[in-house]
Every structure is written in structure tokens, then in C-alpha cells.
Amino acid sequence: MTPDLSTFTTPCEECPPSPVPVDWAVVEEWLGLRLPDDYKRLADRYGPLEFGGFLHVHVPCAGEEFEYADWLREVRREAVRGLPEDERPALHPEPGGLLPWGCSADDDALFWDTSVSDDPDEWTVVVRHQGAIPGSGLLPWHPYDLTLTGYLRHTVRDTWETPSPPGPLMGPLPGTVARPDFLTDAGPWTPPEPVPPRLGDAERRIALETGTGPAALRLLAPPPAEPYLGDGTWEQLYADLGTRLPREYVELLEVYGAGTFSEWLRLHTPLRTGERRFTTLVEEILDGYRQLRRNHPDDFPLPVWPEPGGFLPFGNSIDGDYLGWLTEGPEPDAWPLVFWPRHARQGPPLAGGLVETLLDWLRGNLVTPGLAHLDEEHDDPLEWAGFRGWDASAYW
């Protein structure tokens, strides 16, 4: 049966729920399984829902800020981020895997356990809570002996029923129900077209395992057709800095230009002139580091350029970490790389050169304080090892 929301909720006056057309045959064919009837009837009658300003039930739809396939993928990835392999449950599309249907404002993720039965109407709810849940066998995952309808009836109400429902449910939540404000423009959803693999098996093995040097990096993260470095010259930059830079860095930038690896690690525009030139960024970064070092010398131990062996940054992360060289000695090609982490203690210099470091990191093999560890991602590493060229709207 369809949950009768009128028995325990009141529609929001400003943004009441409203249905979105869904072709369930197409959706189920794309998912490779049949969905619970109560969910489909709920979606057909009410569309995407927000209960008590906290709990979202997502349905196949698309809008400016939401796309159903992207949402499924993101929930699966975030749900297992940081968990050891032996603590990760099976997730759809694995046989019997957990299938997302909702989330909370606190980033709890709600799933069906498709292993319970071949009949989807008997699938029960599993929640990945953000906090540890007493009594759960696999923290922070908690199974509930409730279907979607049962879970909503017990969660969205002013007080608990007697006897209490099983487990530490969310809420009780206020009985208001609304169309989520980020889905006011929601419309029908069309499954994405299948995307053929970018690399064949042999190339994939080279990119992720056996390849070395610039050729392997280009295979793993293809460079842009027109790399952007700026409107100056290397000789002008060397004159501004008072030193040449490592040849490996120059050769890499000649191929890639400025841009972002894996949507996280950004290489600055080296030859840009004018107000936002490379030396301006270096000065700003190092002025901040000097201030931190004066106040907290134990936490910020690096000398800074142009001090002997000083830190000279050339890239940063979207989280405010910085990658650069320790300018030890007169030969730039011998300078070691070092990573200055924003939210971790300073680690030692990195062992490899720039290309080797990028390959190790993109493959998930490099672990150093503060550096995002890509092997925590649940998806294909090739999907996350790309390069996006410099954008004039970016702050570099």
C-alpha cells in the first residue's frame, strides 16, 4: 500500500510535495532490479520528499542541482569512504548489495538491503549513520527490521509509539512534508547512455600498474589539447624568481599547462603576467607560512624561499594544502618535493620526482600527511585520475 502521509504529516505551505513523471520500466531496467511497490507509489503520488526538514526520500528525477544516477554513485562512494575493505558492505550493483533511497541533513545514508528477499516489497532498511550506533554489528551501519513504509511511519512523528520501534531511529521528526528546496525544478529523468571504457585492458594495466614516466601519466590523465601556461616566458619567470626551476616540472607544464589533477591538486599558471603572476602567488603563500612559523615553530618547521633550502610552492589543493620544492643546493633538478598539509603535521620530503609522485598518488599508492588518498574511492580510479585544464575563472 501507499503510505498515507496525511495520517502523520502536513504539507508545507511554501513548497508542498508534487509528483514527477517516472518511467519505472526504464528505471528498473537501468538498475537491473525491480523496486518496492510502496516506494514507486509514494514517488508517483508525491515526488521527491523532505520529511521534517531533515529526511529526504529521493526518486528518479533530474534538476539543476540533482541527477539521480550521479546521486546514487555519490552516496555509494561516500558511504564507504575511509572504511577498511573488510568493513565495507556489498553495494548495488553488486548482487544483493545495498541500494540507496534517501539521506538526511546530517549526511546519514539510507538503503534497502536487497539481499533480504527476491521480493523487493520485503526489502528492509539499512542506515549508515554518521555516528556510532550502540548494538550495531558493523558500525556505523545499522539494519532495521522495517520496510520503507514502516521506517517512515516510525520516524516521522511527534513521539514514539509503544512499544518502541527497533533500533535507534532518526527523530522523532516534525510532521511537515515538502518538496526539497534544491529540487523545485525537478523534472523527468533519463538514464545516462552507457559509456565505453576509455582504455582497453592492456592500456589500463599500463596506466594503473606497469607504466612509468610521462607516457604513463598521459595515459592515466590525458593532457588538454591546448595547455595554458600564461603569456610570459620561462626566462622571464626565472629572472623574477632568481633561479631556474626543475626541468621535469617545466616539461610537465609544457604538456599539461596549469590545471587540476583529479579535481583536487592544482598546478598554478607559471608564465602568467600581470597582477596574478606566479611570483605574486608564491609571495602570498610564503608570507602566510612565515606568520604561522613565528607563532607555531614546532608545527611549521620548513624554511621558506629564498632562505637556503627554503620551501618554494608551485601548486595547491582545493583544501588549502601546498605542493612545492625544498630548494636545497644550486641544482634545481635535485630539489626534493615536499607537501605542506593544512590539516596534518608536516611530513618529510617526498621520495620521488614530480611525475613519479603524480603517478603514485593518482594510482592510490602514495600516502603522506594531508594528501588525499585516492584508493579510498569506491569507483574506478580511472574516473578520478583525470586532468582539467586551466579555467580563467579559477583562482590561480
Side-chain angles (χ1 to χ4, degrees):
M1 61 178 292
T2 304
D4 185 358
L5 300 187
S6 64
T7 63
F8 60 100
T9 67
T10 301
C12 172
E13 294 183 3
E14 291 77 16
C15 194
S18 58
V20 174
V22 178
D23 187 331
W24 292 110
V26 170
V27 171
E28 292 175 331
E29 181 180 5
W30 181 78
L31 288 170
L33 42 70
R34 188 166 63 86
L35 293 169
D37 288 339
D38 61 347
Y39 170 73
K40 291 186 286 188
R41 286 192 290 262
L42 185 74
D44 287 340
R45 183 171 178 180
Y46 298 103
L49 287 168
E50 178 183 274
F51 290 91
F54 186 79
L55 175 62
H56 294 163
V57 176
H58 285 302
V59 305
C61 65
E64 185 175 342
E65 300 183 46
F66 180 89
E67 197 278 335
Y68 181 64
D70 286 346
W71 174 75
L72 287 176
R73 181 177 59 185
E74 183 67 16
V75 170
R76 289 193 296 256
R77 185 172 64 252
E78 291 298 320
V80 298
R81 184 189 295 274
L83 289 179
E85 288 289 340
D86 60 353
E87 293 184 13
R88 296 184 180 187
L91 297 174
H92 178 270
E94 296 179 50
L98 301 178
L99 176 64
W101 59 262
C103 61
S104 80
D106 284 346
D107 293 328
D108 305 294
L110 299 101
F111 302 79
W112 286 294
D113 184 353
T114 69
S115 69
V116 168
S117 172
D118 291 335
D119 181 357
D121 294 330
E122 297 181 4
W123 292 349
T124 53
V125 172
V126 175
V127 180
R128 189 196 192 283
H129 295 275
Q130 283 301 302
I133 304 302
S136 175
L138 187 59
L139 299 179
W141 298 87
H142 194 89
Y144 295 89
D145 190 21
L146 297 168
T147 62
L148 170 68
T149 297
Y151 191 90
L152 293 177
R153 284 186 177 278
H154 282 301
T155 304
V156 185
R157 57 183 65 250
D158 295 331
T159 59
W160 291 128
E161 291 182 335
T162 302
S164 298
L169 299 178
M170 300 177 194
L173 300 179
T176 56
V177 63
R179 167 73 72 90
D181 58 6
F182 61 91
L183 280 170
T184 55
D185 66 339
W189 173 77
T190 301
E193 292 292 330
V195 178
R198 180 170 66 84
L199 300 178
D201 291 343
E203 289 182 315
R204 178 183 175 88
R205 186 164 180 266
I206 293 171
L208 293 176
E209 300 176 27
T210 63
T212 60
L217 183 61
R218 289 195 296 269
L219 193 60
L220 184 58
E226 298 182 3
Y228 178 81
L229 289 85
D231 52 359
T233 67
W234 289 108
E235 294 303 324
Q236 289 172 334
L237 175 60
Y238 298 159
D240 287 343
L241 285 171
T243 181
R244 302 186 72 81
L245 296 178
R247 282 177 295 179
E248 186 181 34
Y249 167 77
V250 174
E251 292 169 357
L252 179 76
L253 268 291
E254 292 282 358
V255 172
Y256 281 90
T260 308
F261 281 99
S262 195
E263 300 293 334
W264 192 80
L265 183 62
R266 303 186 290 199
L267 302 181
H268 300 313
T269 44
L271 305 185
R272 196 173 178 183
T273 60
E275 183 180 354
R276 301 307 300 166
R277 64 191 188 278
F278 185 86
T279 51
T280 301
L281 291 175
V282 169
E283 290 164 2
E284 291 179 355
I285 294 165
L286 296 184
D287 282 347
Y289 193 94
R290 289 186 186 95
Q291 179 65 40
L292 292 168
R293 188 176 62 177
R294 282 194 295 269
N295 296 333
H296 309 282
D298 292 340
D299 295 327
F300 299 91
L302 300 178
V304 298
W305 173 263
E307 299 171 27
F311 176 58
L312 176 57
F314 62 86
N316 72 329
S317 79
I318 62 173
D319 296 321
D321 314 280
Y322 288 91
L323 178 65
W325 302 281
L326 292 181
T327 55
E328 299 173 347
E331 179 48 62
D333 291 341
W335 292 347
L337 290 169
V338 68
F339 190 72
W340 166 29
R342 181 181 179 186
H343 299 296
R345 293 188 66 84
Q346 181 62 54
L350 304 178
L354 180 55
V355 170
E356 180 184 351
T357 294
L358 289 172
L359 275 173
D360 282 347
W361 173 62
L362 291 170
R363 290 167 170 172
N365 298 328
L366 178 63
V367 179
T368 194
L371 191 65
H373 195 196
L374 295 187
D375 73 349
E376 292 181 357
E377 303 290 357
H378 187 62
D379 291 297
D380 188 337
L382 282 178
E383 184 178 349
W384 303 99
F387 182 84
R388 179 173 59 87
W390 182 82
D391 185 328
S393 65
Y395 180 77
W396 280 313

